[in-house]
Amino acid sequence: IRCIDSMIYIGYGRHIFVVDVHLGYVRRLSLDGYFGHLYDSRDLDHLDRQISVLAASASQVLAFDRTGGLIWKQHDLGIDGVVLRRATPGRIDGEGEWDPPGGWQPFSLSSDTGSIVR
């Protein structure tokens, strides 16, 4: 669970739930695999301001803005887990596990579009 301003992000099972406590709505987004982690600027220094929260699943990363809107989604980053390691201006670095156990491969994403840059 992450709380950012009036937004609550909950990862559970194969879903992300985005709750706006002021407007009283809940939105559910399905994931390609199991939920993994939620990240914000407390976890990743230099996370671009347009991104409020990043959610990682078994194989993908989703980026949300401050209103809970989905900015972008990137698929096929792993098959058994995706972790984010750091953010720099314009870029998010992480690893995806492709050959469990221990078969982690690095990736870098554009923080603007989510596209793979390396």
Side-chain angles (χ1 to χ4, degrees):
I1 295 177
R2 290 296 163 117
C3 299
I4 309 292
D5 300 325
S6 67
M7 306 303 298
I8 300 171
Y9 301 85
I10 303 166
Y12 182 77
R14 295 176 63 104
H15 297 94
I16 299 290
F17 300 89
V18 181
V19 180
D20 185 321
V21 296
H22 288 297
L23 297 178
Y25 78 82
V26 177
R27 190 172 58 168
R28 180 181 71 166
L29 293 98
S30 296
L31 301 170
D32 286 349
Y34 62 82
F35 166 74
H37 303 281
L38 292 169
Y39 301 88
D40 64 26
S41 61
R42 294 170 289 188
D43 305 302
L44 300 169
D45 292 336
H46 310 294
L47 188 61
D48 286 356
R49 288 186 175 187
Q50 80 268 13
I51 297 175
S52 179
V53 169
L54 293 163
S57 73
S59 62
Q60 64 192 153
V61 173
L62 294 81
F64 296 92
D65 66 17
R66 298 230 177 262
T67 66
L70 183 64
I71 302 170
W72 51 258
K73 184 188 311 186
Q74 182 57 257
H75 301 274
D76 299 324
L77 297 172
I79 61 168
D80 192 29
V82 171
V83 293
L84 302 178
R85 300 291 185 203
R86 69 182 187 148
T88 56
R91 187 169 160 153
I92 299 165
D93 296 325
E95 295 176 317
E97 188 167 30
W98 285 97
D99 187 18
W104 294 90
Q105 297 295 319
F107 62 80
S108 293
L109 303 174
S110 164
S111 59
D112 292 332
T113 64
S115 60
I116 296 172
V117 294
R118 168 175 79 114

